[in-house]
Amino acid sequence: MRISVIIAYHGETNYIMDCLASLAEQSYRDFEVIVVCDGCEEPDVSPFPELTIRFERAEAAGSVARMRNLGLERAEGEYLFFLDADDYIDTEMFEQMISAAVPDGVVYASIRHTWYSRKVHYDNGEELNRKNGMAKKDRFRGDCQNPYEFLVMRANGLQNVTILGMLIARSIVEQNKLRFDEEFRYFSDAPFLLQILAAAKDTVFCEESYYIKRKHNDPVNLPALVQVKDEENKIFEGMRMYSQYKHVVQKDADEVYFDYKFARFLVTRISLFLMKAKPGKREEIGECLKEALGKMGSGVDDRLDRYARQLVQYGKRGRVDKIAKKARGNARKQKMQTVFHSRSMMKRYIYRKILCKMKMIPDMVVFESFFGKNYSDSPKYIYEYLNETYPGTYKCVWVNTGKKLELPYGGKQVRRFSFRYFYYMARSRYFVFNGRQPRYFVKRKGSVFLETWHGTPLKKLVFDMDDVTSATPLYKEEVYKQTRAWDYLVAPNQFSEEIFRHAFMYDGNMLETGYPRNDILYRSDREQLTGEIKDELHIPRDKKVILYAPTWRDDEYYGHAKYKFTLMLDLDRMREELGEEYVVILRTHYFIADALDLSEYGGFAYNVSKYDDIARLYLISDVLITDYSSVFFDFANLRRPMLFFTYDLEKYRGVLRGFYMDVEEELPGPMLFDTEQVIDAIHHIEDIQKEYAHKYNKFCDKYCAWEDGHASEKVVNAVFRGE
Ligand code: C2G
């Protein structure tokens, strides 16, 4: 057996599948796998019969050091390779490393970081990593010929110095009786690495293949060790580790790197912790720090800036008070630099520090729909109900994007992110939003946040997503913070309620009311309303209306929240076939930046993308064509026929696996793939209605059961009237 792969496993059930798959697909086969379970259940390895896997078990949840040591006891290979259960490796990695291997030596490879699973990483990792600004860091080679420099300096921070991605001759470990120091929970890699480097006869860099280190996109439920919030212990461990293992570095030239790492640890971590530490704790840190810095050489001085040098000098004398003071001054300076650097930062600062300290206005309500893009959706209907039922009782403010909304009842309007916006965001008591509020929103005591959300979920949301590719990788953490501020969340149906609970990790009040935005679909005067809306849009009253309302596509974009749209319906053909009886109204999703030019289809096709409220468009539509948009859950309230134009279904297969429902089974209408099929379906729309009647009923029972036209009333009673 040439390689023993040691995997420390803490129950990362999803991640380890990628890890094992990357082993199963190795081009080089002579290796064994030792999975050390951290008091958790063994993973299911049945999908990998080609792997020789042995299990080892730590009695109780222990440290990575403990688990790796258990693995070392069992290892029989000539070489050792440590792999974390949440990481994976290139398929040629072992082959390349083995061919570079030397007796009693070490082969080390490059490490690349990723936020994504194997599939996503290898398919479009380059692009996504670039988007997340990771490409540069990943390519750290320096010009260094010195393996010591490479291995210590490539990591960001002391805690990230790692023994991962190395093929280590087991002879080094056994002859020198090396083990991971179990004293350390967070810093056991560096000592082991330093000892290995000190004892290795030779070190070889194997550049071609990568160890892929997966960053955790869910620090709330599954934090990586670096994400664990345990700063005090980390600070003490870091200091102890440096004190105990500094002597292992033998050459002066190498010493500089380890010293540099520790000096940075002082600047970026210890000093910040000291700023907030209680006096007793400070003294304790002072002692520890003095001891550690006593071991620091002077060679590092040239590498440090003035600020760092000063902190080191204070630390050497145990003057933690001075470090804390200096750090506070520095933090203040940096803060001011950011604040005065841009207007938007300044506004946020004033919002937090001044406006949020002003008296709250008890009857003021801020409304926002689709980030201020329009006057629509559930906030609109809640606003109207409030004003009709309790005229003059509430001071209402609507957020817009700079374009005035057409508001009844004389509500105020503010431009999103303007000074006035921050003023009202700070002082209002109530908030009615259909999307997420800004990250820096301050939830004031006594304020009430009503989140209506904007659709029954079809595509997986937040905490139910594995890979987050269309937003910031730390989306889950961000949403977690935002949803903590929500006091009420509207559920359109039981199905959504259950999903919202886990997808948002939401345990606040759930309003089982149906959607206020759908109240209009139940109005008794809807016939008359339909005529009025048709007139408003200059659509002949005698024409039937087909509404085409597709969603956006994650992978087709120009930039943040600016997505592309290509019309795949052949409007010429549709006009030829359907123009006598129908008109088509076309509405793109609010993320779509492309403006469609339908001028040549005057009298047949209308662009209603800018129309505020899609619910009013549902009312005038005889048939809906959509795809993977949540619009069909709402339209179903009208019991009118629906067609699903899923021309890119194949591409969506991947996404389909990320759907909450079995679309092929549950959709209350046919899936169609080209214009001819759509035309044919419309010609036979009555047959389709009959054919799908059963599915349609079942669909409504599941998704529309709570809708009765009184959602706004119920929501207002619960949130504003305390009933
Ligand atoms: N919408 C619209 N016009 C479209 C598509 C959507 O006006 N062409 C509106 C509808 O009110 C719809 C809402 O935007 O219900 C959400 O659109 P989706 O296409 O479902 O997509 P998304 O914004 O990603 O929201 O839980 C719901 C999900 O978050 C989906």
Side-chain angles (χ1 to χ4, degrees):
M1 185 68 63
R2 295 212 71 194
I3 308 176
S4 292
V5 183
I6 298 176
I7 300 177
Y9 174 66
H10 311 264
E12 304 94 332
T13 2
N14 284 346
Y15 288 165
I16 201 172
M17 289 300 133
D18 266 5
C19 172
L20 295 175
S22 77
L23 290 173
E25 289 167 28
Q26 285 298 308
S27 51
Y28 179 84
R29 309 292 323 162
D30 192 13
F31 62 90
E32 60 167 355
V33 183
I34 304 169
V35 176
V36 189
C37 299
D38 175 20
C40 58
E41 294 227 340
E42 289 171 6
D44 171 19
V45 295
S46 59
F48 310 104
E50 62 276 58
L51 292 177
T52 316
I53 302 183
R54 288 189 287 151
F55 288 99
E56 186 61 52
R57 171 165 285 279
E59 322 69 55
S63 61
V64 184
R66 171 88 199 114
M67 291 156 70
R68 288 185 178 154
N69 284 343
L70 285 169
L72 281 177
E73 300 301 328
R74 291 286 297 271
E76 288 168 2
E78 204 177 318
Y79 292 95
L80 301 164
F81 187 89
F82 295 97
L83 177 59
D84 277 356
D86 45 354
D87 300 338
Y88 47 88
I89 55 178
D90 280 353
T91 46
E92 265 99 53
M93 187 160 209
F94 287 169
E95 187 180 334
Q96 284 159 353
M97 288 188 117
I98 277 289
S99 63
V102 280
D104 299 330
V106 169
V107 183
Y108 58 98
S110 304
I111 293 184
R112 171 160 288 185
H113 293 88
T114 187
W115 291 98
Y116 309 105
S117 62
R118 273 183 98 209
K119 175 158 181 16
V120 174
H121 178 77
Y122 288 117
D123 284 359
N124 43 21
E126 281 291 331
E127 193 188 335
L128 288 167
N129 283 334
R130 206 171 319 116
K131 193 176 108 190
N132 296 320
M134 291 208 301
K136 212 164 121 222
K137 247 188 287 164
D138 289 345
R139 265 188 236 119
F140 182 91
R141 303 255 201 295
D143 291 323
C144 53
Q145 300 301 315
N146 177 350
Y148 191 90
E149 177 184 1
F150 180 88
L151 291 164
V152 174
M153 296 296 277
R154 70 171 163 183
N156 230 348
L158 191 60
Q159 205 187 327
N160 288 323
V161 173
T162 183
I163 46 91
L164 297 170
M166 296 173 85
L167 195 70
I168 303 166
R170 193 158 66 89
S171 53
I172 308 179
V173 174
E174 296 313 332
Q175 279 159 21
N176 298 282
K177 300 198 172 32
L178 300 182
R179 287 296 181 266
F180 288 86
D181 189 336
E182 295 180 20
E183 285 280 297
F184 300 119
R185 181 163 138 70
Y186 303 106
F187 289 87
S188 60
D189 276 39
F192 193 79
L193 174 73
L194 297 181
Q195 294 176 89
I196 294 279
L197 288 180
K201 290 253 159 55
D202 202 358
T203 40
V204 183
F205 182 34
C206 175
E207 189 171 353
E208 305 86 69
S209 56
Y210 284 90
Y211 181 99
I212 318 277
K213 187 140 189 48
R214 190 159 178 191
K215 291 161 91 79
H216 290 205
N217 68 22
D218 184 0
V220 180
N221 295 301
L222 193 63
L225 268 189
V226 284
Q227 293 167 325
V228 171
K229 294 195 166 54
D230 188 12
E231 196 58 8
E232 182 176 328
N233 285 324
K234 287 184 178 179
I235 298 289
F236 277 104
E237 255 200 23
M239 292 189 291
R240 275 199 344 261
M241 186 276 283
Y242 177 78
S243 285
Q244 279 179 37
Y245 288 94
K246 174 64 206 292
H247 72 277
V248 177
V249 189
Q250 287 158 343
K251 284 196 235 138
D252 288 355
D254 293 346
E255 185 187 50
V256 173
Y257 307 117
F258 196 35
D259 287 351
Y260 179 78
K261 281 270 128 163
F262 189 69
R264 294 300 307 163
F265 186 63
L266 169 61
V267 172
T268 57
R269 309 274 292 270
I270 304 178
S271 67
L272 303 195
F273 188 78
L274 280 171
M275 275 164 53
K276 293 184 199 128
K278 299 230 165 66
K281 193 59 68 190
R282 259 197 216 171
E283 297 318 311
E284 228 183 291
I285 293 174
E287 289 300 308
C288 236
L289 187 61
K290 198 168 154 190
E291 191 191 334
L293 288 175
K295 318 226 153 138
M296 188 172 273
S298 55
V300 70
D301 284 1
D302 295 345
R303 288 196 155 235
L304 300 175
D305 60 16
R306 223 168 74 104
Y307 176 68
R309 272 203 306 272
Q310 218 156 20
L311 294 197
V312 170
Q313 287 314 321
Y314 290 143
K316 282 187 173 167
R317 286 186 269 131
R319 295 302 303 267
V320 274
D321 52 332
K322 291 221 171 196
I323 295 181
K325 193 166 161 217
K326 189 99 193 142
R328 227 175 271 124
N330 190 54
R332 211 173 296 129
K333 201 171 102 199
Q334 278 185 356
K335 177 96 218 173
M336 283 305 139
Q337 270 169 359
T338 2
V339 165
F340 290 109
H341 181 71
S342 73
R343 268 174 78 85
S344 73
M345 292 305 285
M346 188 144 69
K347 284 184 211 165
R348 286 185 213 178
Y349 186 78
I350 294 171
Y351 162 71
R352 256 195 329 268
K353 298 282 178 191
I354 301 170
L355 302 175
C356 281
K357 306 223 157 75
M358 291 168 78
K359 214 165 145 260
M360 194 185 279
I361 305 173
D363 50 1
M364 183 160 278
V365 196
V366 177
F367 293 86
E368 184 185 287
S369 180
F370 298 118
F371 310 111
K373 287 216 174 86
N374 43 39
Y375 172 59
S376 66
D377 213 67
S378 296
K380 164 182 170 179
Y381 292 93
I382 292 167
Y383 171 76
E384 295 192 352
Y385 182 83
L386 264 185
N387 279 288
E388 270 155 33
T389 322
Y390 306 102
T393 311
Y394 296 95
K395 300 189 183 80
C396 300
V397 182
W398 271 83
V399 176
N400 69 28
T401 53
K403 212 176 96 234
K404 278 256 176 289
L405 305 172
E406 264 183 56
L407 274 192
Y409 304 109
K412 266 200 181 52
Q413 298 192 38
V414 292
R415 187 167 51 82
R416 202 160 180 247
F417 306 141
S418 62
F419 260 113
R420 286 176 70 229
Y421 163 87
F422 283 106
Y423 174 82
Y424 290 112
M425 289 296 280
R427 297 202 63 189
S428 290
R429 171 154 183 230
Y430 294 100
F431 299 86
V432 181
F433 278 46
N434 82 340
R436 295 185 287 135
Q437 73 278 18
R439 274 194 308 278
Y440 46 82
F441 174 78
V442 177
K443 175 74 167 84
R444 295 184 65 177
K445 200 158 167 272
S447 66
V448 179
F449 199 104
L450 163 60
E451 174 61 46
T452 68
W453 202 240
H454 52 270
T456 291
L458 176 66
K459 279 186 260 175
K460 289 213 168 152
L461 289 171
V462 204
F463 282 100
D464 293 337
M465 290 157 72
D466 288 335
D467 283 296
V468 180
T469 53
S470 64
T472 145
L474 282 175
Y475 179 62
K476 293 184 186 181
E477 192 181 37
E478 188 175 309
V479 178
Y480 183 76
K481 279 195 200 129
Q482 288 165 324
T483 53
R484 293 318 89 188
W486 299 354
D487 298 295
Y488 296 92
L489 175 59
V490 179
N493 40 50
Q494 186 69 45
F495 169 83
S496 301
E497 166 162 2
E498 282 156 25
I499 289 169
F500 289 161
R501 287 268 181 233
H502 48 83
F504 292 137
M505 291 186 67
Y506 178 76
D507 54 11
N509 297 303
M510 193 72 82
L511 300 171
E512 300 180 333
T513 52
Y515 267 149
R517 69 182 186 184
N518 290 336
D519 284 351
I520 189 172
L521 308 179
Y522 287 86
R523 268 172 55 166
S524 54
D525 60 347
R526 67 185 196 193
E527 285 287 303
Q528 191 195 331
L529 205 53
T530 303
E532 287 169 17
I533 299 169
K534 276 188 164 173
D535 293 350
E536 185 190 340
L537 291 168
H538 309 292
I539 294 171
R541 283 198 180 207
D542 59 341
K543 283 282 171 74
K544 287 193 191 154
V545 176
I546 301 166
L547 166 62
Y548 177 41
T551 194
W552 55 295
R553 273 129 182 92
D554 297 48
D555 58 341
E556 296 173 25
Y557 54 83
Y558 297 109
H560 176 66
K562 286 196 174 67
Y563 288 81
K564 297 181 190 175
F565 176 71
T566 321
L567 179 61
M568 299 298 284
L569 281 176
D570 181 342
L571 286 180
D572 291 306
R573 281 288 298 136
M574 288 181 78
R575 179 162 57 186
E576 258 167 58
E577 291 281 338
L578 307 165
E580 287 281 297
E581 198 181 350
Y582 289 96
V583 296
V584 172
I585 58 175
L586 218 141
R587 179 180 179 83
T588 52
H589 187 270
Y590 54 92
F591 280 170
I592 300 294
D594 289 323
L596 292 173
D597 179 9
L598 301 182
S599 49
E600 61 179 294
Y601 301 100
F604 175 66
Y606 299 74
N607 187 353
V608 288
S609 304
K610 295 245 151 57
Y611 192 77
D612 267 5
D613 184 5
I614 194 170
R616 289 168 66 86
L617 300 177
Y618 298 150
L619 267 187
I620 61 165
S621 301
D622 298 276
V623 182
L624 169 74
I625 306 176
T626 185
D627 45 26
Y628 325 100
S629 174
S630 64
V631 296
F632 62 87
F633 294 104
D634 303 274
F635 189 78
N637 283 288
L638 293 168
R639 309 293 199 271
R640 297 177 193 162
M642 294 195 247
L643 307 174
F644 295 87
F645 184 41
T646 47
Y647 57 89
D648 53 358
L649 184 71
E650 276 317 310
K651 198 174 80 184
Y652 255 78
R653 284 277 168 200
V655 183
L656 275 183
R657 273 195 301 273
F659 280 173
Y660 284 115
M661 66 187 262
D662 179 350
V663 281
E664 266 127 343
E665 180 58 36
E666 281 193 68
L667 289 184
M671 283 188 176
L672 309 169
F673 301 90
D674 58 35
T675 305
E676 294 310 318
Q677 289 180 351
V678 171
I679 292 171
D680 186 61
I682 291 173
H683 279 318
H684 299 97
I685 202 74
E686 278 166 21
D687 299 338
I688 285 180
Q689 271 184 293
K690 276 191 212 120
E691 190 187 327
Y692 280 87
H694 180 64
K695 272 196 177 178
Y696 210 133
N697 283 338
K698 262 176 74 178
F699 184 88
C700 288
D701 287 348
K702 185 164 170 190
Y703 300 105
C704 308
W706 292 354
E707 307 277 14
D708 61 0
H710 296 284
S712 308
E713 179 186 340
K714 289 182 225 166
V715 168
V716 166
N717 286 346
V719 178
F720 292 85
R721 316 304 294 179
E723 286 169 18

